[in-house]
Amino acid sequence: MPTYRDEGIILRTFNLGEADRIVTILTRSHGKVRAVAKGVRRTASKFGSRLEPFMVTDVQFYQGRSSLDTIQQAETLGPYGADIAGHYDRFTAASVMAETAERLTDAEKATNQYTLLLGALRSLSRGEHAPHLTLDSYLMRAFSLAGWSPSLDTCSRCGSPEDLTAFVVHFGGMVCATCAPPGSARVGSDTVEIFEALLTGQWDFLESVDRRHLARVSSLISAHTQWHLERALKSLEHVAR
Ligand SMILES: [Zn+2]
């Protein structure tokens, strides 16, 4: 049977021709799937609104001969899209999460990444925590699942656990005083504490931390994210050749 059913999170959509839409979905059991939804833009169809970014949907796919599967049916499981899109800071956080998930996954089953993104979007849609905290926590955990956690308790160059004084993105995390290049960003154990709290979801602690400290950690996490995603893209390009 060339059809299959799975639940999935809509990561991205773009319009095709007059009435169709191509949808990128991170599924629970089939990894990342790109599929076409035919005719969804012709009317204000309910079908179309189920296939908006950040919606969690039960989808029936038809596996045709082309590289794109076709979406035959879609039922909403988690209508998170509306509660996210209505708030600018939730929307920007969710967009970064969806883009990260898209880059970190492929057609291989990635249930851990799926479950992580599902929980983060649900939390965002309910406004459980400040969106920037949900985002940073998501990024730390997504990279941890991908095997790209920043090194926090040992020097990322020499492995020493002593005298960790700086964070250097292109070395992969904390470095000791001996390995730190001149001019590198100095950070202390309080910064490492925040990284660990994000990784383990210590929300009460995170909500009590000074905003400037959090902003500093956020900028290190964005730099870490950008560094790894660019490298991931390059390695994918390499594979494609
Ligand atoms: Zn070192």
Side-chain angles (χ1 to χ4, degrees):
M1 282 294 282
T3 64
Y4 62 99
R5 221 186 163 85
D6 202 348
E7 60 171 84
I9 301 164
I10 313 299
L11 300 179
R12 194 151 66 102
T13 67
F14 74 91
N15 294 337
L16 179 72
E18 296 274 298
D20 302 343
R21 184 180 291 162
I22 290 183
V23 187
T24 306
I25 306 176
L26 180 59
T27 65
R28 182 181 284 280
S29 306
H30 295 80
K32 185 174 65 184
V33 174
R34 280 178 83 230
V36 61
K38 291 197 171 134
V40 291
R41 287 158 51 228
R42 202 158 276 150
T43 55
S45 74
K46 272 190 177 168
F47 190 53
S49 69
R50 293 169 190 158
L51 299 171
E52 296 287 350
F54 322 130
M55 297 296 264
V56 183
T57 311
D58 179 53
V59 188
Q60 185 173 307
F61 297 94
Y62 173 76
Q63 211 166 15
R65 261 176 292 176
S66 81
S67 61
L68 282 178
D69 294 350
T70 303
I71 295 175
Q72 291 184 314
Q73 283 176 39
E75 296 295 335
T76 300
L77 300 173
Y80 306 143
D83 288 329
I84 289 172
H87 300 85
Y88 181 74
D89 49 356
R90 292 182 192 176
F91 179 78
T92 52
S95 301
V96 175
M97 297 195 300
E99 191 185 340
T100 304
E102 187 177 353
R103 306 254 196 114
L104 291 179
T105 55
D106 53 25
E108 294 292 305
K109 182 174 174 176
T111 306
N112 288 342
Q113 290 286 359
Y114 174 81
T115 311
L116 176 68
L117 182 62
L118 181 69
L121 289 175
R122 184 192 296 132
S123 174
L124 257 192
S125 76
R126 292 176 180 166
E128 286 173 1
H129 312 291
H132 66 94
L133 288 180
T134 305
L135 170 62
D136 285 343
S137 176
Y138 166 81
L139 290 172
M140 288 295 289
R141 296 184 211 211
F143 281 109
S144 168
L145 290 177
W148 292 338
S149 268
S151 173
L152 296 175
D153 48 14
T154 54
C155 172
S156 51
R157 289 228 95 181
C158 74
S160 163
E162 305 290 329
D163 210 10
L164 304 174
T165 55
F167 190 97
V168 182
V169 168
H170 58 273
F171 289 166
M174 296 297 292
V175 289
C176 72
T178 316
C179 295
S184 49
R186 297 271 145 174
V187 298
S189 57
D190 45 354
T191 300
V192 172
E193 232 179 330
I194 296 174
F195 274 119
E196 276 160 0
L198 288 165
L199 201 47
T200 52
Q202 298 168 45
W203 302 105
D204 291 341
F205 168 74
L206 290 167
E207 271 146 25
S208 73
V209 172
D210 186 280
R211 274 304 285 252
R212 280 171 308 169
H213 247 113
L214 284 176
R216 181 85 193 281
V217 171
S218 282
S219 72
L220 293 174
I221 293 174
S222 324
H224 182 81
T225 302
Q226 217 157 345
W227 169 256
H228 280 289
L229 292 186
E230 269 164 28
R231 283 182 19 173
L233 275 188
K234 278 182 194 141
S235 68
L236 284 178
E237 278 167 20
H238 194 68
V239 168
R241 257 179 249 132

